Structures are given as C-alpha cells and as structure tokens.
Amino acid sequence: MSNDNDDATQLGSIRHHMNKPQQPGNPQARPAFQAPSLPTHPQEQSGDDEGTVLSAHNANHYATNTFDADDEGTMLSAYNAMPYRPAMPTVPTTQPLKAQPAQPVQMRQPLPQSQPIPAAASQAKPAQPAATSFMMSAPQADITEFHNQFTKLVDSVSQVVVGKEQPIRQCATAMIVGGHILLEDNPGTGKTQMARGLANSIDMSFKRIQFTPDLLPSDVVGVTYYDQKNSEFEYREGPIFASVVLADEINRASPKTQSALLEVMEEQKVTVDGETHAVPQPFMVIATQNPIEQLGTYKLPEAQMDRFLIKTTIGYPSHDVSVSILKQVNVTDRASTVHAVLTGNDVLRMRAISETVHLDDAILEYIVRLVEATRHNERIQVGSSMRGALALTRCARVWAASNNRGYVVPDDAKQLAVAVLAHRITLTAEATFAGSTPELMIKQILENVPAPTVGVTA
C-alpha cells in the first residue's frame, strides 16, 4: 500500500503523461485512479513544472493528519487555478468540489472593498427598478421653481373660487401647456369668475366675448375696413387678440361664428382677407356653456370639441365653504380682489421646464393603450384621436412638475384622463339610452387597462 508521498508523485506523473497528445488507435493503459476527461489547453507553464509543484505541495500537506484554515485555503486555491483538475485524494471539505470549465493558469483574488471597481465591471447595469433611472432626470432646481410658481397661481385663483382646487389646477395646467379649456356647469357655479380670476392672476391681456345668436365671425377675429383719411385698407383686430379670451356661453352663437375659432385655437393665428395675424403668447381660450337651457343654442361640433385641451366642471361648493362665502356677502366681484402673481414670461418659462420632465416608455405605452381602448369599445362610436393622446401626455408632464416631480407616474395620467379624453369620444345610441356617459366610459377603461409599475404613486 503506497503512502501519501507516493500518491502525490503518482498524481504528478499522471498529469505529465496526460499533457502528451495521444494518437488515435493506440490506447494507452490508464493508471489505477480515473481522471475526468476534460479538454486540454496550452498553458504558460509546462506539465512537468505544474506536476512537480503539485507533488511538492501535496507532500507537505498530506503528510500530517491536521489541516488548518490557511493550509486548506491555499491548497484549494492552487487546485482551482489548475486548468485540468484530476480527482483529489481524500481532503476534509464541507462541500464536494465541482468541475469547472478550463481557465488560464492565473491566481485570481477577490477585489478588496477599498479598491475601485474596474471600468469593465462598472459598465454592467445593475438590476434596479425602472424608476431609479429617471428619478432625477429633470433638474431639481427647475422643478422646484415650477412647483412654487404653480402653487402661487393656484392659491391666487382659489381666493376667487373657494374649495375647488382640482378644476383650478386643471385650468392652470391648460394655461401652461398652451391649450384651451371648456367649463360646462350649471348657472351660478362660478365659471366666469374662475376665468376672470385666472386672467387677473397673470399679468397678461384679457378680453371677454359674450356669444349671442347674432354674433358674426368678424366680431371675433376682426375686420378689414377702408380708411378714407389715409386712403388705404386697414385691419382692425377683434377681441380674440388677447392672451386670455373668455368665450362666455359659446354654444349660443351660430356654427358660422363658432367656426371662426377653429383656426386660432389650433394654429394660434388668424387669417383675414388673405393675411395671417399671430395672436399674443401665451394664448388661451376659456369657454363656458350650460348643460341645461338648450333652447336656442347650437351644439359644438366634434371638430371644435377636439380642440379643447380639457373639459371640466366646477360643481357646487360644500356646506362649510358655502357658509364662509356668505360671511363675505359684501364682496360682489371676487375676481377683482386678486392681483397678478405671475407674468406671461413666467408662464412661458414654466412651459419650457415642463418639457424637460421625463416620460418613460412604459408611460407612453400606457397612454396609447388608453386611447386605443376608446377606439375598440363596442359602446363607443368614435374614439379619441391622436390629438387626445398628445394632450394627455403634455398635461401629465405639467401635472408631475406641479407635484414637485421631474418624472411622470401612471397616476398623473389617471387623474387627467377623464378631463382630457371624455369630450373626445362619442357613444353609440344604445349606450346613451342605457344611461352611460363619456365620463363613465373613460373611468371604466381606466379600470380595465392595467397601469405599469413605473416610479411611485403620486
């Protein structure tokens, strides 16, 4: 029976023997103990040197029956560094050794904690939630500035229409985006006061148009007249040339007069007698209409409804707010009590900041799915257009920045979907007779379309 030194010497000779190429058809007798058949690779050192080193190492450590932690770690490190790993003699280990692919003969030590990570390793992307990659995509200083300015505007208008923060925020959002808003509610709910309060809170020009059945398009966009004193034609601007235009009870004007607003609401310009005139910036139309008293009114066409960025309602105030308003009964015109807190340049600056808010691809996919769901619903005759998807995307960015965030989350789109998409769809006759409304259909779509798990909830 051979001793440990003989085993080690035999192991070295076997290693030396297996490094030599074997000819096919000329099998050689294998030694008593079997080694796994692994492919051999050229190495930096010869088989004789490697076998001698292993023999000397085994002769030193196998001669005794005791193993300390350092000896065992050194032996296993040398064993793992070998490209060809034969069966080891009996070694007290806690886990069985597993065969690994052949590697170049080099000792690899784990990197200490104090050393920097190599450049190749730093390029690997860690597995993190998608939200962490864009939490601070927009400059935080700009977002904070946006949030403060938006809060000042909302607080100012809240002094006019008390207890209605949600519709006020929607109106402010439409102003910053550069869109238009339609206020539809019962008489006496404060539609005109809200429009005037928003206009007075911003240092910009404001004009009001009272729509009546005898109103002509030239009364809105202006007219070209002949000046006899100067013997030339001159263009006189209409009330549409203002930063904030209040179209009060817009549905009382004829469709011919309403069509005069189509160009200016979409292209921000007016064409009269072949000449194009740009309106001042920022520009916004706030239209009001009553859902009742439809006698003598004209329903807004779908093309004009689609040009409104947001359609919302104000509603009646709560009990406590009503009591508080009655305590200020001597204030007859609440809109005149507020003063400008922002300028037109501030609004343009906020618009530029909102364009830096990050939109993840999952958010864009979610908005497209919401819009497509309105087109494939059996109870919806006409779904939302691409203009609705763009409007919801732009409003979501402003909504996120107003909440002091530089990125959009699914809740931003959810909170604006009804106000942005409901007036852009047309229900079937069966759905209308069944009592469904566009607002209820959008809420049902929000429940059916799964929202992505991007970022955090608002």
Side-chain angles (χ1 to χ4, degrees), residues 180-182 211 220 240 247 249-266 285-289 298-311 387 423-424:
H180 316 288
I181 192 165
L182 177 62
F211 280 70
V220 177
I240 198 65
E249 298 196 47
I250 188 175
N251 58 338
R252 293 194 177 276
S254 63
K256 181 179 180 180
T257 303
Q258 293 181 14
S259 63
L261 297 174
L262 295 179
E263 180 185 9
V264 68
M265 292 177 65
E266 178 64 22
V285 173
I286 303 178
T288 65
Q289 68 176 5
Y298 301 89
K299 183 180 178 181
L300 298 181
E302 286 76 9
Q304 187 173 359
M305 290 292 294
D306 198 36
R307 279 167 167 76
F308 284 103
L309 183 73
I310 290 177
K311 177 187 175 183
R387 186 183 293 161
H423 64 283
R424 304 177 190 271

Side-chain angles (χ1 to χ4, degrees), residues 218-238:
S218 59
D219 298 330
V220 177
V221 299
V223 63
T224 301
Y225 71 98
Y226 181 76
D227 188 359
Q228 295 181 355
K229 182 178 180 179
N230 299 325
S231 299
E232 61 183 6
F233 287 94
E234 291 186 2
Y235 172 70
R236 179 177 297 174
E237 295 181 350

Side-chain angles (χ1 to χ4, degrees), residues 53-76:
V53 172
L54 182 60
S55 300
H57 175 76
N58 292 336
N60 293 333
H61 291 279
Y62 294 165
T64 60
N65 294 328
T66 59
F67 294 87
D68 54 12
D70 295 337
D71 293 339
E72 184 177 357
T74 304
M75 178 187 66
L76 293 179

Side-chain angles (χ1 to χ4, degrees), residues 305-351:
M305 290 292 294
D306 198 36
R307 279 167 167 76
F308 284 103
L309 183 73
I310 290 177
K311 177 187 175 183
T312 186
T313 60
I314 299 178
Y316 294 112
S318 62
H319 175 77
D320 295 338
V321 172
S322 300
V323 173
S324 177
I325 294 175
L326 291 181
K327 291 180 180 181
Q328 304 175 11
V329 66
N330 294 330
V331 181
T332 57
D333 188 4
R334 302 180 67 91
S336 61
T337 60
V338 298
H339 303 283
V341 296
L342 298 178
T343 63
N345 292 331
D346 293 334
V347 176
L348 296 178
R349 164 68 177 165
M350 296 171 68
R351 183 180 302 176

Side-chain angles (χ1 to χ4, degrees), residues 377-397:
N377 194 299
E378 59 182 6
R379 289 183 290 179
I380 298 178
Q381 183 176 359
V382 179
S384 175
S385 63
M386 194 61 198
R387 186 183 293 161
L390 293 172
L392 184 57
T393 304
R394 292 167 181 157
C395 290
R397 293 190 305 188

